[in-house]
Amino acid sequence: MTQPVLEVDNLHVAFPSRQGRKYPWSPMNAVRALNGVSFDLTKGQTLGIVGESGCGKSTLIRAIAGLNKPTQGSVKLNGADVDYDNRRDVLNLRKSIQMIFQDPVASLNPRMTIRDIVAEPLTAFRTDLNNTTRLEKVRNMLDRVGIAERNFNRYPHEFSGGQCQRIGIARALVVEPSILLCDEPVSALDVSIQAQVVNLLQELQRDMDLSLIFVAHDLGVVRHISDDILVLYMGSMMEKAAGKTLVSAPQHPYTQALLSAVPVPDPNVQVQSQVLEGDLPSPLNLPVGCVFESRCPKRASICTTEKPVSQDIKQSQVACHFAAN
Amino acid sequence: MTLLSVRDLNIRFTTGDGDVHAVNNVSFDLSAGQKVALVGESGSGKSQIALSIMGLLAKNAIVSGQVMFNGNNLLAASNDELNQIRAQKIAMIFQDPMSALNPYMKVGRQLSEIVELHEGLSRRDARIRAIEVMEAVQIPDAKRRLDAYPHEFSGGMRQRIVIAMALICRPQIILADEPTTALDVTVQAQIMHLLDDIQRDMDTAVLLITHDLGVVAGFCEDVMVLYGGRMMEKSKVGALFKSPSHPYTRGLLRAVPNIHDQTGQLHAIPGSPPNQMNAPTACPFAPRCNDVIDTCWQTLPELTGEDTQRACIQPVEALS
């Protein structure tokens, strides 16, 4: 098997918090946003990450990009460990890992023309280029995402949401990264525009041999674009499987509940959505056992005492004591 | 029995750059117990229609047409008259529960205030009613939660409170403006389930404004599709999903990725939403339509048909 472009092993992220301390001078508490997530990303593949808000989807990809520091675990890029404390390492990382964001308009500097916005990564990372070649690259990239040259001197507010997301994609891809991290790139867009952007991403992925990590809460979109899907809940991995397997034969009770809640655009399909009862645990004080225990329809005493380890069941990796039956 | 009848509704907004034609010649009826969806993308005017019914349009709006409710035209009603109707007869659920609630007020007070004002209940009775309605929307431990502030609730619980606020006077009509858009799918399923139960119990008419076709399929009986402020198609939910008759509806349905049926590329609708600075003289969807013919650029199609009404000059058979 070929070497994966990105190997994430047992990644933890915790944020210090003042909440829940006894005294002001007590040590900081930790909000444990991400607890031991591992996966490999193969070249040209797409990994989808799904979960509810607050489950750590964004924290995970921001940690990979070096925007928040992992507290434990390792990230390997092309087989080499990334040291997030080393500034040079992080800068190097950004030549190969780029990111697009949820709010297309807010992620572009309103005081820069789109030509300057797309040229900026090149100024930062490709100091070997002269002005002409740089602008040539910018022109090609913007042309590739479907922005006409007469618009290059305009500012972000003059474009629609869909166009701004295209510009964001151009800015990310102009340095020819090998991995593109997508943080809810289409959730702010209308359905008809969403499909345009998803198609564009898939085309560019094919042409540039990109690997994508695609975070979204819309399971339909994630299923469409991803090869593998990883399901997160309270910062822990619940299940990981090929998209098709995950949707047709979900093994984890959380995945089953999540899938049953997705509305189907067909009135003849009677959806029996499984309503989850119970409360979410606090990330300040995570349970000893399974994080999903408080809402799980299958819970038993073992779930409160023992944390399930990820095991291979059929073609899925599942973290549940009862997944096998 | 028709409760609400909207006729030839036009909404324009005067801006420094000229008039924005947000809603153009929209007509529809809402009967008791009916669940109707109003579907459209951002800027299609769906929220403005709901706001005009409630008399909540922005100051620079120019409205014409009629919104008839109990023999009154709500568009011509004074604020005092509208206050007799708002919450008691017609209530609205807003999209963002955090900004629909007052962060400085305990939720119990926000609920009881409504019945004190509209039904003249005493503080104590209003408080009891607030507990009842919070229990009805399944907020656990309602008695204690009455004294909590909005920020102490999760998004789903906050939306339940907003729904409770809409229900507290037992209105005949609920206008639900994207009630689940800000929520996770698991919570969305709970909220839609709840809304369905309550609607059946109280025989309320619901106008559900949304862009999510999945939610429409699961909840509504009738559906109206808006584009560029104009009604494109009006039909039964079953018929619309089975055989959409308008090119825009077809495009919209094809653009949604179906989780169980994954075949190749998504069918995007090319182009971008229309500029509504000028009064429409041609079909607003023409620039993005696959089946466009010359006459599409010259005539403004009217909504015609019996069971399924559509605004397209071409017959269904001629569409690709």
Side-chain angles (χ1 to χ4, degrees):
Chain A
M1 211 183 119
T2 50
Q3 184 176 28
V5 255
L6 191 77
E7 293 160 82
V8 173
D9 186 34
N10 194 25
L11 201 69
H12 286 70
V13 177
F15 298 103
S17 164
R18 291 176 196 284
Q19 260 182 40
R21 292 182 309 167
K22 196 170 178 196
Y23 302 113
W25 53 86
S26 311
M28 287 288 217
N29 258 330
V31 175
R32 289 162 59 197
L34 212 58
N35 301 294
V37 175
S38 313
F39 62 84
D40 289 349
L41 184 67
T42 326
K43 192 154 189 57
Q45 297 281 86
T46 304
L47 175 74
I49 298 175
V50 292
E52 298 173 271
S53 41
C55 73
K57 309 187 287 288
S58 295
T59 307
L60 172 59
I61 65 167
R62 290 177 69 89
I64 295 169
L67 294 173
N68 39 41
K69 247 180 226 165
T71 38
Q72 200 187 316
S74 74
V75 175
K76 277 188 190 152
L77 181 66
N78 294 320
D81 251 315
V82 179
D83 176 7
Y84 285 102
D85 289 322
N86 184 336
R87 196 173 149 67
R88 179 152 297 157
D89 248 29
V90 176
L91 286 179
N92 265 324
L93 178 86
R94 290 186 183 151
K95 290 180 194 169
S96 356
I97 302 185
Q98 281 287 323
M99 189 163 169
I100 54 175
F101 300 89
Q102 174 166 17
D103 187 333
V105 186
S107 62
L108 303 176
N109 186 340
R111 297 175 47 151
M112 282 164 85
T113 62
I114 63 156
R115 187 202 310 269
D116 293 343
I117 288 173
V118 178
E120 202 181 18
L122 288 174
T123 328
F125 295 125
R126 294 294 303 272
T127 39
D128 55 314
L129 298 178
N130 62 25
N131 255 335
T132 347
T133 39
R134 183 163 65 232
L135 289 178
E136 184 59 35
K137 271 184 180 292
V138 170
R139 187 175 306 123
N140 288 340
M141 197 63 234
L142 278 168
D143 182 54
R144 186 69 194 75
V145 299
I147 304 284
E149 186 159 6
R150 64 186 140 81
N151 295 325
F152 284 7
N153 285 324
R154 294 181 178 228
Y155 291 88
H157 73 268
E158 298 176 74
F159 295 90
S160 67
Q163 285 172 315
C164 282
Q165 198 55 285
R166 286 164 188 272
I167 296 162
I169 292 171
R171 174 180 61 182
L173 295 184
V174 74
V175 290
E176 293 160 31
S178 50
I179 300 169
L180 183 65
L181 308 174
C182 314
D183 189 2
E184 303 255 14
V186 294
S187 49
L189 306 176
D190 278 318
V191 213
S192 69
I193 308 295
Q194 171 180 306
Q196 290 176 8
V197 172
V198 168
N199 285 343
L200 173 71
L201 273 174
Q202 286 188 305
E203 267 170 50
L204 288 165
Q205 174 176 33
R206 242 187 335 262
D207 295 353
M208 302 176 69
D209 204 13
L210 273 173
S211 308
L212 298 186
I213 298 184
F214 193 95
V215 168
H217 63 265
D218 183 337
L219 277 151
V221 176
V222 173
R223 168 70 189 92
H224 180 83
I225 200 170
S226 309
D227 298 299
D228 289 344
I229 298 179
L230 190 157
V231 182
L232 276 181
Y233 182 81
M234 292 306 292
S236 298
M237 210 166 90
M238 298 284 107
E239 182 164 359
K240 184 179 161 261
K244 200 176 165 196
T245 322
L246 189 107
V247 170
S248 58
Q251 301 291 326
H252 197 284
Y254 177 63
T255 319
Q256 289 163 1
L258 197 65
L259 283 168
S260 79
V262 177
V264 182
D266 182 351
N268 297 321
V269 177
Q270 266 304 317
V271 194
Q272 238 352 306
S273 54
Q274 194 184 330
V275 172
L276 287 175
E277 305 287 340
D279 292 321
L280 288 159
S282 156
L284 278 169
N285 187 14
L286 285 178
V288 197
C290 177
V291 282
F292 187 52
E293 183 270 330
S294 61
R295 296 169 82 193
C296 185
K298 285 189 183 166
R299 69 172 160 263
S301 57
I302 185 174
C303 302
T304 50
T305 51
E306 211 174 298
K307 201 173 197 64
V309 276
S310 205
Q311 44 183 326
D312 289 330
I313 293 162
K314 291 175 191 157
Q315 283 114 39
S316 316
Q317 272 181 43
V318 192
C320 177
H321 294 300
F322 298 104
N325 33 49
Chain B
M1 187 190 71
T2 304
L3 276 177
L4 184 83
S5 139
V6 174
R7 286 286 165 273
D8 299 320
L9 183 68
N10 281 281
I11 303 172
R12 275 181 297 152
F13 292 98
T14 40
T15 69
D17 302 325
D19 281 8
V20 176
H21 297 254
V23 175
N24 303 296
N25 276 326
V26 167
S27 305
F28 62 91
D29 291 328
L30 199 59
S31 313
Q34 205 185 7
K35 292 182 282 186
V36 182
L38 194 54
V39 181
E41 300 180 83
S42 36
S44 61
K46 51 193 193 309
S47 293
Q48 300 308 327
I49 292 176
L51 292 174
S52 73
I53 296 170
M54 297 293 278
L56 294 173
L57 284 173
K59 287 219 169 62
N60 61 342
I62 303 167
V63 207
S64 67
Q66 279 189 326
V67 175
M68 298 304 289
F69 177 77
N70 278 347
N72 294 328
N73 182 4
L74 298 186
L75 295 181
S78 69
N79 231 342
D80 285 348
E81 288 168 315
L82 280 174
N83 277 338
Q84 299 301 312
I85 289 167
R86 289 178 190 147
Q88 295 185 66
K89 302 283 196 286
I90 307 177
M92 189 153 171
I93 300 172
F94 294 92
Q95 172 173 3
D96 178 1
M98 197 59 209
S99 49
L101 295 168
N102 183 340
Y104 283 136
M105 265 166 101
K106 292 173 179 167
V107 295
R109 186 79 199 105
Q110 299 194 46
L111 285 164
S112 55
E113 184 187 53
I114 303 169
V115 268
E116 278 174 42
L117 208 71
H118 286 290
E119 298 185 9
L121 293 189
S122 68
R123 274 220 172 191
R124 174 182 299 195
D125 290 345
R127 206 177 148 85
I128 294 169
R129 177 79 81 82
I131 296 174
E132 283 171 5
V133 75
M134 274 172 80
E135 279 167 354
V137 296
Q138 295 158 23
I139 293 174
D141 203 5
K143 217 169 192 163
R144 200 173 52 82
R145 301 294 265 165
L146 212 57
D147 289 318
Y149 288 93
H151 74 266
E152 299 175 72
F153 291 84
S154 67
M157 285 296 155
R158 256 180 239 145
Q159 194 57 287
R160 281 166 200 257
I161 291 163
V162 174
I163 292 175
M165 283 175 80
L167 294 175
I168 197 161
C169 290
R170 298 182 138 261
Q172 294 169 297
I173 300 173
I174 295 176
L175 309 175
D177 188 0
E178 308 248 12
T180 57
T181 305
L183 307 173
D184 284 316
V185 274
T186 51
V187 185
Q188 167 170 296
Q190 290 172 9
I191 298 281
M192 289 318 293
H193 201 72
L194 175 74
L195 212 56
D196 201 40
D197 268 1
I198 291 166
Q199 188 274 338
R200 222 169 307 141
D201 262 19
M202 301 181 21
D203 203 28
T204 321
V206 176
L207 182 68
L208 177 75
I209 297 171
T210 181
H211 64 264
D212 188 334
L213 291 160
V215 173
V216 174
F219 182 76
C220 295
E221 293 139 7
D222 296 272
V223 56
M224 303 184 283
V225 182
L226 280 180
Y227 184 81
R230 287 188 71 85
M231 194 86 86
M232 295 283 120
E233 184 166 0
K234 192 151 88 174
S235 103
K236 290 275 167 210
V237 163
L240 184 109
F241 282 91
K242 203 167 143 234
S243 52
S245 71
H246 194 283
Y248 174 60
T249 322
R250 291 188 173 195
L252 207 57
L253 282 170
R254 264 183 244 163
V256 185
N258 186 333
I259 188 160
H260 296 292
D261 172 28
Q262 297 281 327
T263 35
Q265 256 204 333
L266 287 181
H267 295 272
I269 304 178
S272 30
N275 177 354
Q276 286 164 244
M277 291 306 285
N278 299 307
T281 52
C283 176
F285 189 58
R288 300 175 75 186
C289 186
N290 280 331
D291 300 300
V292 66
I293 52 171
D294 287 347
T295 22
C296 292
W297 302 96
Q298 286 133 29
T299 46
L300 193 57
E302 292 298 327
L303 209 57
T304 52
E306 288 293 313
D307 291 336
T308 294
Q309 293 186 302
R310 54 196 292 272
C312 182
I313 53 166
Q314 297 199 70
V316 187
E317 303 79 55
L319 302 178
S320 60

